[in-house]
Amino acid sequence: MINGVKPLDRSLRWGMVGGGGTSQIGYIHRSAALRDNTFTLLAGAFDIDASRGRAFGESLGVAADRCYADYQAMFAAEAAREDGIEAVSIATPNNTHYAICRAALEAGLHVVCEKPLCFSSQEAEELAALSRRQNKIIGVTYGYAGHQLILQARQMIAAGQLGEIRIVNMQFCHGFHAQPVEQDNPSTRWRVDPRFVGPSYVLGDLATHTLFLAETMAPALKIKRLMCARQSFVKSRAPLEDNAHVLMEFDNGAVGTLWCSAVNSGSMHGQKIRIVGEKASLEWWDEQPNQLRFEVQGEPVRILERGMDYLDAQALQDDRIGGGHTEGLFEAWSNLYRRFAIAMDASDRRDEALLKDFWYPDVHAGVLGVRWVEHCVRSADNGAGWVEFS
């Protein structure tokens, strides 16, 4: 259990790009990063409006001379300081991620980036190669992947408790954009604009989260081919989709389905994953994150509760309070940032032994998400035909 003791003998000097006063996701980043004293916020380019960003940064306790007008100025000035930042988080619109991430790596910084890393596989692979050359990590904020019961499922599947995996059923379907809310909501407007989000809306914004849950829980499964159909039920969003269905085949013969939607009227969040094996099944729903449903053929259904001694040690190590109390999004993000800090420190110390088996959403998770969206768009735009996942 996490008990407040710092996992490192230091706090990483940290900055932010984006995540200003009107940013909900910026607050989540800061809450997660600062929770375990593994990061200290020292600098930021928080807002496209420099004066507004400076005022916001100062309200967080950041020195005025370290509240920068843009990320280029921040990276240059911080590199010249003996106490300059060592890591940066990117919480900006999608179309800026590649340039900022590349510049951060070139400046010798570790990176935590919102997904998607970029819009093309070529760019994603470039970032992966650059991170290797610079010996700097890229962490990707697939937030709910940091929940303990996702790691519990991973351990159960690895131990063979489900047997051979046959079916992976995924969904992330809320209803808050069932109407053209972007007409009156600037924070939604950019999410349905191809100039800012690239070739997809819900495939990239929602589906990649649940796809990574499957990747975390059952990492041995590799996608062989897929087909995708997508729709723009709110017509003004075309060519971007607000609903999509994806069918996948895995290399072991298993099949997967993924439904993502922003027009599932009445649904609050609707992110679920069910993995079906030859002997048993597991199901997890982020609206009830402290419970993992375990169904063995011919036996009563079991509900595994977070924080209980019968869970795997890998799951219990990320608990922040005893069983019976709820933990959710903020705790899951905090677990990710704790892991990002440990990985950054190990990378700086060249501790390859630790990094070899240390799990966190890394650059390869980001690359997978970009490639997957590319293939889905290609399939959908060619009549929902099968495409090989190369």
Side-chain angles (χ1 to χ4, degrees):
M1 178 181 289
I2 294 170
N3 60 5
V5 176
K6 289 173 64 172
L8 308 175
D9 60 5
R10 64 190 183 107
S11 294
L12 291 156
R13 300 185 300 275
W14 176 55
M16 289 194 73
V17 181
T22 61
S23 170
Q24 176 179 270
I25 205 69
Y27 173 62
I28 296 174
H29 277 276
R30 287 186 294 277
S31 296
L34 301 176
R35 192 166 196 168
D36 295 322
N37 295 311
T38 48
F39 294 89
T40 301
L41 182 61
L42 296 175
F46 297 105
D47 200 300
I48 196 168
D49 182 304
S51 60
R52 189 170 59 196
R54 184 178 303 108
F56 178 71
E58 288 186 78
S59 75
L60 297 176
V62 177
D65 65 342
R66 299 181 80 171
C67 296
Y68 299 94
D70 53 58
Y71 72 88
Q72 295 98 328
M74 179 169 74
F75 295 165
E78 291 294 312
R81 298 179 64 115
E82 187 174 342
D83 63 347
I85 58 172
E86 303 167 86
V88 66
S89 291
I90 301 169
T92 56
N94 299 359
N95 63 317
T96 65
H97 292 177
Y98 171 75
I100 301 173
C101 189
R102 184 178 183 88
L105 292 171
E106 289 174 340
L109 299 174
H110 296 289
V111 177
V112 175
C113 188
E114 280 292 311
K115 54 88 197 129
L117 284 179
C118 48
F119 292 158
S120 74
S121 293
Q122 179 180 345
E123 289 179 340
E125 294 290 357
E126 287 176 9
L127 292 176
L130 181 57
S131 72
R132 288 192 297 270
R133 290 198 301 272
Q134 295 290 84
N135 192 43
K136 299 298 175 184
I137 79 150
I138 298 175
V140 184
T141 50
Y142 290 120
Y144 273 112
H147 198 279
Q148 303 92 305
L149 290 182
I150 302 302
L151 292 182
Q152 173 68 23
R154 178 187 178 96
Q155 297 304 111
M156 292 173 71
I157 291 169
Q161 290 183 254
L162 273 63
E164 181 76 8
I165 303 302
R166 292 173 171 172
I167 301 166
V168 182
N169 180 244
M170 298 161 274
Q171 70 172 61
F172 196 159
C173 308
H174 67 73
F176 288 98
H177 297 169
Q179 304 299 324
V181 295
E182 60 269 21
Q183 293 178 0
D184 301 313
N185 188 334
S187 67
T188 302
R189 191 176 305 140
W190 70 264
R191 295 181 183 276
V192 296
D193 188 333
R195 294 173 299 172
F196 295 98
V197 299
S200 78
Y201 167 33
V202 294
L203 285 164
D205 193 46
L206 304 180
T208 52
H209 279 285
T210 317
L211 181 74
F212 185 67
L213 293 185
E215 167 72 12
T216 300
M217 293 165 75
L221 291 181
K222 305 300 178 187
I223 302 170
K224 183 178 179 182
R225 62 176 187 158
L226 61 77
M227 63 186 301
C228 174
R230 60 178 183 161
Q231 300 80 35
S232 307
F233 283 111
V234 176
K235 300 304 181 185
S236 58
R237 294 174 184 155
L240 300 187
E241 79 290 338
D242 50 25
N243 189 83
H245 293 84
V246 185
L247 180 62
M248 289 167 278
E249 291 182 353
F250 297 96
D251 58 357
N252 73 331
V255 295
T257 58
L258 197 158
W259 173 35
C260 57
S261 183
V263 297
N264 183 22
S265 299
S267 174
M268 286 297 295
H269 213 228
Q271 182 176 205
K272 294 182 180 180
I273 180 167
R274 181 177 179 85
I275 298 187
V276 179
E278 60 181 323
K279 298 189 292 187
S281 302
L282 288 169
E283 184 172 297
W284 184 83
W285 179 19
D286 73 359
E287 292 180 36
Q288 298 176 3
N290 292 269
Q291 296 183 335
L292 179 66
R293 189 178 178 95
F294 181 39
E295 303 171 13
V296 180
Q297 184 61 35
E299 299 181 10
V301 172
R302 302 171 202 176
I303 303 298
L304 307 183
E305 295 279 355
R306 185 207 61 76
M308 299 304 294
D309 289 342
Y310 52 70
L311 299 179
D312 189 271
Q314 292 293 312
L316 291 171
Q317 70 180 4
D318 281 343
D319 281 330
R320 293 175 176 272
I321 197 168
H325 302 281
T326 58
E327 293 191 21
L329 180 68
F330 280 85
E331 289 78 16
W333 271 71
S334 298
N335 292 343
L336 290 188
Y337 259 96
R338 184 182 179 92
R339 288 176 175 272
F340 293 153
I342 292 170
M344 290 173 186
D345 180 68
S347 180
D348 289 343
R349 294 185 290 101
R350 306 280 176 158
D351 188 346
E352 298 298 330
L354 185 149
L355 292 170
K356 183 174 181 289
D357 297 314
F358 187 70
W359 175 87
Y360 65 97
D362 62 9
V363 66
H364 303 295
V367 172
L368 174 67
V370 172
R371 288 178 56 222
W372 186 83
V373 170
E374 275 186 339
H375 284 71
C376 287
V377 170
R378 186 183 311 151
S379 169
D381 291 354
N382 285 279
W386 286 102
V387 296
E388 298 296 316
F389 194 76
S390 56

